[in-house]
């Protein structure tokens, strides 16, 4: 790769290796390395890190790695390798934190409703884990409990949260750089493009929609979380002039 910095190159290689490995191993790899809801028995302590290197398909990994290649090297060349890696991992963890927090809200809301109807949390968890209570099952299959069930069973994969943090940092460092998407051929300055992108994700997360219609299976709040943590870190660094320091 031309003009790609060392840490960005290594991250791309690691992501590709994980992707090829999961294609070979299949579901067991996804079950072990994707991030589950913390109360789900499949959750493991390493998943908040490992999920950042997992991807759900060729287009998913392609767009994430293309964005990392496009924006990450410019940042690493200014910050140094260790500072860039710290920022990247921090944004990925921030994405996982916000996504999990939103899921906890949905999960606890569903639990509270079921407790008000006379079920205990132990019974609820037993049903979710396939040990069944015929009175609860029809409730969980209703549309009103969709977010509750999705929060418990859903998994998260991908570097998108970390990538959103990188894009936010790029907009901080190069606000007047002109960016464009394939379906928006007119270049837009980064200081307008990136906030607009994050706002679209926030809207889609709140509405539960996909840009292509339907739910889409996209962890929009993870994107927002990565962007938010990226913004907070950049704001703190700028306030303390740390953004001018290299960290090799």
């Amino acid at each position: 790769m031309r003009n790609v910095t060392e840490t960005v190159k290594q991250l791309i290689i690691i992501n590709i290796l994980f992707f090829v490995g999961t294609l070979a191993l299949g579901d067991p790899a996804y079950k072990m390395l994707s991030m589950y809801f913390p109360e789900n028995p499949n959750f493991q302590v390493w998943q908040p890190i490992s999920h950042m290197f997992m991807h759900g398909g060729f287009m998913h990994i392609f767009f994430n790695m293309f964005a990392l290649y496009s924006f990450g090297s410019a940042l690493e060349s200014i910050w140094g390798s260790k500072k860039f890696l710290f920022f990247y991992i921090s944004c990925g963890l921030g994405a996982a934190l916000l996504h999990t927090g939103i899921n906890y809200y949905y999960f606890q809301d569903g639990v509270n409703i079921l407790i008000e109807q006379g079920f205990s949390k132990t019974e609820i968890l037993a049903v979710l884990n396939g040990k069944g209570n015929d009175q609860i099952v029809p409730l969980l299959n209703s549309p009103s409990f969709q977010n509750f069930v999705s929060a418990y069973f859903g998994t998260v994969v991908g570097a998108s949260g970390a990538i959103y943090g990188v894009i936010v940092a790029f907009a901080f460092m190069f606000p007047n750089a002109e960016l464009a998407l394939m379906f928006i051929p007119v270049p837009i300055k980064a200081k307008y493009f990136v906030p607009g992108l994050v706002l679209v994700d926030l809207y889609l997360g709140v509405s539960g929609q996909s840009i292509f219609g339907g739910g889409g299976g996209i962890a929009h709040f993870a994107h927002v979380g990565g962007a938010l943590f990226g913004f907070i870190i950049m704001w703190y660094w700028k306030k303390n002039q740390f953004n001018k320091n290299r960290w090799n």
Side-chain angles (χ1 to χ4, degrees):
M1 296 179 188
R2 298 183 59 187
N3 303 319
V4 60
T5 51
E6 189 61 28
T7 303
V8 168
K9 180 171 70 175
Q10 290 174 5
L11 285 170
I12 291 173
I13 291 171
I14 292 169
N15 275 275
I16 292 172
L17 288 175
F18 266 69
F19 184 67
V20 172
T22 52
L23 287 178
L25 296 174
D27 288 341
Y30 279 102
K31 188 173 181 179
M32 180 179 293
L33 300 175
S34 303
M35 191 177 74
Y36 283 83
F37 185 64
E39 295 205 40
N40 189 302
N42 291 316
F43 176 79
Q44 303 292 341
V45 294
W46 58 77
Q47 290 173 357
I49 292 289
S50 64
H51 88 280
M52 285 188 260
F53 301 98
M54 303 288 289
H55 287 85
F58 287 102
M59 296 305 292
H60 191 199
I61 190 171
F62 171 78
F63 281 114
N64 276 344
M65 295 304 99
F66 181 74
L68 178 57
Y69 168 78
S70 300
F71 302 109
S73 290
L75 298 176
E76 186 183 352
S77 64
I78 296 171
W79 290 347
S81 58
K82 292 181 181 178
K83 187 175 179 181
F84 176 79
L85 185 61
F86 169 82
F87 181 85
Y88 182 89
I89 296 297
S90 296
C91 291
L93 291 174
L97 183 63
L98 182 62
H99 176 81
T100 301
I102 295 296
N103 275 350
Y104 256 113
Y105 170 80
Y106 289 140
F107 179 77
Q108 198 57 50
D109 185 54
V111 167
N112 290 339
I113 293 171
L114 290 170
I115 288 175
E116 289 174 0
Q117 296 186 34
F119 303 105
S120 69
K121 187 173 181 179
T122 302
E123 287 180 287
I124 297 165
L125 291 175
V127 170
L128 290 171
N129 292 313
K131 297 178 183 177
N133 179 321
D134 293 340
Q135 293 178 301
I136 304 180
V137 172
L139 295 174
L140 298 184
N141 290 332
S142 68
S144 58
F145 281 90
Q146 182 177 348
N147 287 334
F148 168 72
V149 174
S150 295
Y152 187 80
F153 288 109
T155 59
V156 184
V157 295
S160 301
I163 297 300
Y164 266 66
V166 168
I167 295 172
V168 166
F170 184 88
F172 253 87
M173 302 291 288
F174 309 101
N176 293 315
E178 294 188 334
L179 308 175
L181 292 174
M182 288 183 291
F183 48 85
I184 305 178
V186 180
I188 304 172
K189 289 183 178 181
K191 61 185 177 182
Y192 305 124
F193 180 95
V194 174
L197 185 65
V198 175
L199 286 173
V200 168
D201 259 298
L202 180 60
Y203 167 76
L204 294 174
V206 171
S207 65
Q209 297 298 309
S210 165
I211 196 169
F212 302 109
I218 299 173
H220 293 291
F221 284 114
H223 296 177
V224 174
L228 177 62
F229 271 71
F231 176 84
I232 291 171
I233 293 171
M234 291 301 297
W235 173 81
Y236 181 79
W237 283 356
K238 185 175 182 180
K239 182 179 179 182
N240 294 277
Q241 299 296 306
F242 186 69
N243 61 313
K244 296 181 180 179
N245 297 336
R246 286 185 64 84
W247 187 5
N248 293 315

